[in-house]
Amino acid sequence: MKKLAAGNWKMNGSTAALAEVEALIAAHPAPGCEMLLCPPATLISAMAARATGAALKVGGQDCHAKASGAHTGDLSAAMLLDAGASHVILGHSERRADHGGSSELVRAKAGAALAAGLIAIVCLGETEAERDAGATLAVIGAQLDASLPAGATAATLVIAYEPVWAIGTGRTPTLDQITEVHSFLRARLSGLIGAEAAGTRLLYGGSVKPSNAAEIFALADVDGALVGGASLKAADFGAIVAALSAA
Ligand code: PGA
């Protein structure tokens, strides 16, 4: 399987930030992993235009579960595809917290993404209180079970494990904790999608940066990263891409 370095720009970036994309593309013409950036929706088509012919894919950060209709301010999966996206992040903890995204809603959105021809990056993760209570695997298992759309395959689904307490905090789980969750996810996934689980990319996300990327990418069952803050600068994200390419 080809590993995946995915960047999530969140609510950051204007057209001036596309200079970072040009620098990234120039520095990594043929990386040894897939390279994806998910900018705000306002930048998808401009970024996709810059990425044409380059080894960079572009994704959205969320989509609606419906194909079209009276949903002011929302975007459908087909609209993201039309703008030049190939992937969409779904169930990010910030969406779950800010917009009440249940796992059932994530499943509906992921189904819509697959139906439109997008690859769904489904995010899962425990809060700090859940980890302290020893509930990490139970929480993640329940999120996985409830979030997966019917018909998901290794080619259409990516899972991102993102402990909520590690996002944007500079804190990361221990390497043993990451390994425990990723091997649990691989096994649980095979109960859900059978042989497809072996080839499904399992990303780690939460305070990944150039200085910790290599040790995380060396872990079994870590097939890449979902990167927030460190994806905004070409030099930082490029260093993470290089570390994943070398893993
Ligand atoms: P971070 O964000 O890398 O800034 O911690 C990760 C994410 O939210 O995907």
Side-chain angles (χ1 to χ4, degrees):
M1 124 207 356
K2 202 137 194 220
K3 296 186 175 175
L4 173 63
N8 172 11
W9 278 17
K10 309 191 180 186
M11 199 171 73
N12 297 293
S14 55
T15 45
L18 294 170
E20 294 297 326
V21 178
E22 279 159 12
L24 181 72
I25 289 170
H28 299 276
C33 64
E34 282 188 17
M35 195 164 70
L36 168 73
L37 284 176
C38 301
T42 48
L43 292 179
I44 289 175
S45 70
M47 190 183 284
R50 302 250 189 334
T52 303
L56 176 69
K57 298 196 164 94
V58 180
Q61 299 176 8
D62 186 50
C63 71
H64 198 277
K66 296 257 168 59
S68 63
H71 302 287
T72 301
D74 282 312
L75 297 167
S76 72
M79 290 170 181
L80 296 178
L81 188 83
D82 183 53
S86 54
H87 294 63
V88 61
I89 298 169
L90 296 170
H92 190 282
S93 62
E94 289 154 15
R95 291 295 309 179
R96 291 183 192 250
D98 294 354
H99 301 271
S102 66
S103 290
E104 291 68 27
L105 181 60
V106 173
R107 186 210 301 269
K109 291 178 173 188
L114 266 49
L118 292 177
I119 296 169
I121 302 176
V122 172
C123 303
L124 317 165
E126 82 286 2
T127 62
E128 185 156 34
E130 288 163 344
R131 178 163 282 280
D132 289 346
T136 298
L137 298 184
V139 166
I140 290 167
Q143 287 176 341
L144 182 69
D145 293 353
S147 303
L148 277 207
T153 66
T156 59
L157 175 72
V158 175
I159 302 289
Y161 166 53
E162 298 205 306
V164 177
W165 52 273
I167 294 174
T169 60
R171 297 167 59 204
T172 53
T174 65
L175 299 177
D176 284 348
Q177 287 171 330
I178 297 174
T179 299
E180 179 190 33
V181 172
H182 279 240
S183 72
F184 168 81
L185 279 172
R186 184 82 68 200
R188 185 90 163 209
L189 201 51
S190 54
L192 295 166
I193 60 172
E196 291 294 318
T200 300
R201 269 85 57 90
L202 304 182
L203 310 184
Y204 168 76
S207 298
V208 175
K209 41 191 187 255
S211 59
N212 63 15
E215 62 183 14
I216 293 171
F217 295 152
L219 300 174
D221 290 316
V222 173
D223 309 311
L226 182 53
V227 183
S231 71
L232 293 168
K233 291 278 168 242
D236 290 343
F237 193 58
I240 291 167
V241 165
L244 186 57
S245 300

